Amino acid sequence: MYQDEELVFSCPQVVADRPTHYCPGCHHGVAHRLVGELLEEMGLVEKTIMVTAIGCSVFLYNYLLVDAVEAPHGRAPAVATGVKRAKPDKFVFTYQGDGDLASIGMAEIMHCANRGERVSVVFVNNTVYGMTGGQMAPTTLIGQKTTTCPGGRCAEREGMPIKMAEIIASLGGSAYVARTALNNVKNINKTKKCLRKAFEVQTSGLGFGFVEVLSACPTNWKMSAIKANERIANEMIPYFPLGVFKDATADVTGEAAGKGEEGK
Amino acid sequence: MSRIEIREDRCKGCLLCTTVCPKEIIKQADRFNQHGYKPAEVPAGDMKKCTGCASCATICPDVAITVYKTKKKAKKGASHG
């Protein structure tokens, strides 16, 4: 580094200095970095226990240098409940994909949110099962082709894509629920702010924090990384509106929570 | 001078950084890195256009970009233009 310049961006220490196994353009890397930066900025690295799920992010413990428990498929919120209740002074978060959280783990996430467990959930929604080769997920968009719906998802046959953020926001125990995207710099910065809020409702003991992060899977969408980012803006965000759906901290101060309109 | 450093061995050639650079100075290289990807690079001479906005580093999924920004000059220096 030269004398007349300052370092404005570098990899956080808590993010391991090793190449990831993710495909080019996969947004897991961005999500990992945001979580890592927040853990450092909020001084939580030493007291964090993360609960990782099944999916492409199964190797999260290789990339974030904090204590971790690996949960069975979909059961991360149940495992996190146990960890948090046994160690209430620790910071506990789960990191799950849409195949894990919205399909096999639907019961666990619903009841964890409804009980208002003091945990945070990072929900990475890329509308497809990534690790197993691109099968249809509950969040797959209508018309999207996957290996198990090669003609495109049909609403009559498979139902409509599940909007998890709205469902979680309607449950009594959730304290902060937001949906953000990682398709451009503005949305990435907004995602970091929402994640911070979701982490803060846990550290302040308010309740359950949930952030749905719309992200790209260029490999299973069978398109380039740049096209995949455009798809998020053109196809995903119109169906999955961005915004804050519930904010217990705003209720306390009397501010109205966002109505899910921004970013449309 | 603001500048970026791209770790070529980490770059997977997704080229998302090229879409967000306001000065459009990031390009894909013609060579391959050790993983077989064509990494992003800033052609020689273009780096002086870098503003240090860190957009490329923010969107990089592999945290392969480090950004250095020129320190703001002291007020005394600014008065001389």
Side-chain angles (χ1 to χ4, degrees):
Chain A
M1 200 165 94
Y2 304 118
Q3 272 189 341
D4 62 338
E5 64 186 15
E6 56 187 336
L7 183 67
V8 289
F9 191 102
S10 66
C11 186
Q13 298 256 308
V14 69
V15 176
D17 186 22
R18 58 168 68 112
T20 62
H21 70 288
Y22 301 119
C23 308
C26 173
H27 283 166
H28 269 308
V30 182
H32 289 8
R33 175 179 64 80
L34 293 179
V35 171
E37 281 179 358
L38 282 172
L39 292 181
E40 279 186 1
E41 286 167 21
M42 297 171 73
L44 296 169
V45 176
E46 294 298 318
K47 53 184 278 194
T48 295
I49 300 175
M50 68 177 175
V51 183
T52 57
I54 306 301
C56 284
S57 61
V58 66
F59 296 124
L60 183 60
Y61 51 75
N62 281 336
Y63 305 134
L64 280 182
L65 303 176
V66 296
D67 292 333
V69 184
E70 184 65 50
H73 202 350
R75 274 69 196 184
V79 174
T81 299
V83 172
K84 186 70 181 181
R85 288 190 178 191
K87 299 268 184 194
D89 56 325
K90 298 289 182 193
F91 177 79
V92 181
F93 76 93
T94 75
Y95 185 107
Q96 303 174 261
D98 53 313
D100 183 81
L101 182 141
S103 182
I104 189 168
M106 185 60 119
E108 281 73 16
I109 188 69
M110 296 280 273
H111 288 286
C112 185
N114 197 45
R115 291 191 306 266
E117 298 294 341
R118 269 60 172 164
V119 299
S120 308
V121 174
V122 183
F123 170 39
V124 178
N125 178 1
N126 59 11
T127 74
V128 77
Y129 277 79
M131 182 180 71
T132 48
Q135 289 82 4
M136 182 177 67
T139 46
T140 297
L141 294 176
I142 298 298
Q144 182 183 341
K145 289 176 182 170
T146 70
T147 55
T148 47
C149 53
R153 181 176 181 153
C154 163
E156 231 168 81
R157 214 171 36 227
E158 286 102 16
M160 295 295 284
I162 291 180
K163 297 183 178 182
M164 282 311 295
E166 284 88 336
I167 294 173
I168 300 298
S170 70
L171 298 172
S174 55
Y176 183 81
V177 182
R179 184 187 286 120
T180 62
L182 295 175
N183 61 325
N184 57 37
V185 175
K186 188 180 150 203
N187 281 342
I188 291 172
N189 291 336
K190 214 177 263 177
T191 302
K192 190 171 173 185
K193 279 184 194 152
C194 290
L195 283 171
R196 183 189 295 272
K197 270 273 180 81
F199 288 1
E200 277 171 359
V201 293
Q202 177 183 164
T203 52
S204 59
L206 272 173
F208 183 83
F210 182 92
V211 180
E212 175 172 349
V213 184
L214 303 182
S215 58
C217 182
T219 301
N220 287 308
W221 295 357
K222 310 215 177 339
M223 52 180 80
S224 72
I226 295 170
K227 283 265 180 304
N229 270 24
E230 288 169 7
R231 178 178 184 260
I232 294 181
N234 300 335
E235 294 179 36
M236 283 178 80
I237 293 177
Y239 185 80
F240 294 113
L242 305 184
V244 179
F245 296 93
K246 195 173 192 179
D247 190 350
T249 57
D251 293 344
V252 171
T253 55
E255 291 170 27
K259 303 204 170 43
E261 295 294 324
E262 59 177 309
K264 257 189 178 178
Chain B
M1 191 182 78
S2 298
R3 66 189 173 96
I4 60 169
E5 268 177 16
I6 301 174
R7 288 184 67 177
E8 265 188 25
D9 58 326
R10 287 296 161 79
C11 179
K12 290 175 182 163
C14 71
L15 302 182
L16 291 179
C17 50
T18 63
T19 64
V20 295
C21 179
K23 299 290 177 189
E24 298 182 356
I25 56 174
I26 308 176
K27 302 275 185 293
Q28 189 167 29
D30 284 331
R31 61 185 180 283
F32 293 97
N33 67 11
Q34 67 190 64
H35 300 293
Y37 297 118
K38 285 184 174 176
E41 66 167 6
V42 178
D46 277 353
M47 193 63 91
K48 60 179 181 294
K49 295 182 195 161
C50 178
T51 61
C53 70
S55 292
C56 52
T58 305
I59 207 162
C60 178
D62 295 284
V63 208
I65 303 178
T66 310
V67 184
Y68 299 95
K69 192 166 188 162
T70 312
K71 276 183 193 163
K72 280 182 186 154
K73 281 177 187 163
K75 277 179 186 171
K76 195 179 160 191
S79 65
H80 292 291

